[in-house]
Amino acid sequence: MIGVNAFYELAWEKNTPYENKIKAEEAVAELKELIQVINKPLIFTELGFTSRKDTLFHPWQWPEQTSEVNYDENEQVRGYHAMLSAFASKPWFAGLFIWRYYAYLADVSQEPIWAFSPHGKLAETYLERAFSSPWAADPSPWPWKQAPNF
């Protein structure tokens, strides 16, 4: 597989209206060219968004580098939705790892509430639904949805 850290900028500038933000199709086109050359499926080794206004403008920005934060869980959901809407329908897209879940989920001391972890936020609910739905790369029928034969 080809592994990519997928912190793609999905907005052209700060304060862009949401309907004008989504640039995920540009990432699809760029990565499709790569997989056509290498001929291997793609996996996001990291995909994450903070829970703050304008996270789609600089999704890679560390919480420590951000000042004057406006907490916004919907922006985190929009980032995941944009990327999954663009990529899950591609048969060459094998999946992703979410940045950033902690081994001990109750330990909230590792980052501010508006940072990357989707745990306990709207994005976690969105991701649960996304991961329980079929993707183009999944085998059909889903073998894990069938009852085992004992």
Side-chain angles (χ1 to χ4, degrees):
M1 287 192 193
I2 302 167
V4 172
N5 288 354
F7 293 94
Y8 286 91
E9 196 164 59
L10 301 178
W12 286 267
E13 58 190 28
K14 285 186 172 185
N15 299 313
T16 303
Y18 179 69
E19 58 275 3
N20 297 331
K21 286 183 180 180
I22 306 308
K23 296 184 349 179
E25 290 300 328
E26 292 177 15
V28 169
E30 178 184 323
L31 292 170
K32 184 177 181 181
E33 285 182 34
L34 176 66
I35 65 109
Q36 287 174 332
V37 170
I38 299 177
N39 197 27
K40 299 222 182 276
L42 173 77
I43 189 166
F44 290 155
T45 52
E46 291 180 5
L47 177 65
F49 299 92
T50 56
S51 302
R52 63 177 173 83
K53 186 176 184 285
D54 292 323
T55 192
L56 304 183
F57 177 57
H58 286 148
W60 58 82
Q61 193 168 33
W62 282 97
E64 296 81 15
Q65 298 170 331
T66 308
S67 61
E68 299 179 30
V69 172
N70 293 314
Y71 184 70
D72 189 344
E73 287 189 33
N74 289 314
E75 283 289 281
Q76 187 179 42
V77 173
R78 288 178 182 131
Y80 286 121
H81 178 70
M83 291 298 280
L84 291 176
S85 294
F87 282 90
S89 63
K90 308 301 182 226
W92 45 264
F93 181 67
L96 62 112
F97 293 95
I98 298 295
W99 178 262
R100 176 168 201 190
Y101 266 100
Y102 294 101
Y104 181 55
L105 292 175
D107 182 4
V108 295
S109 67
Q110 298 180 56
E111 65 178 23
I113 186 65
W114 51 267
F116 286 96
S117 178
H119 178 63
K121 301 176 188 172
L122 296 173
E124 187 172 51
T125 302
Y126 173 80
L127 291 168
E128 286 173 359
R129 284 196 317 267
F131 279 107
S132 64
S133 300
W135 294 15
D138 289 339
S140 181
W142 286 6
W144 54 88
K145 289 275 187 166
Q146 299 169 4
N149 294 326
F150 293 105

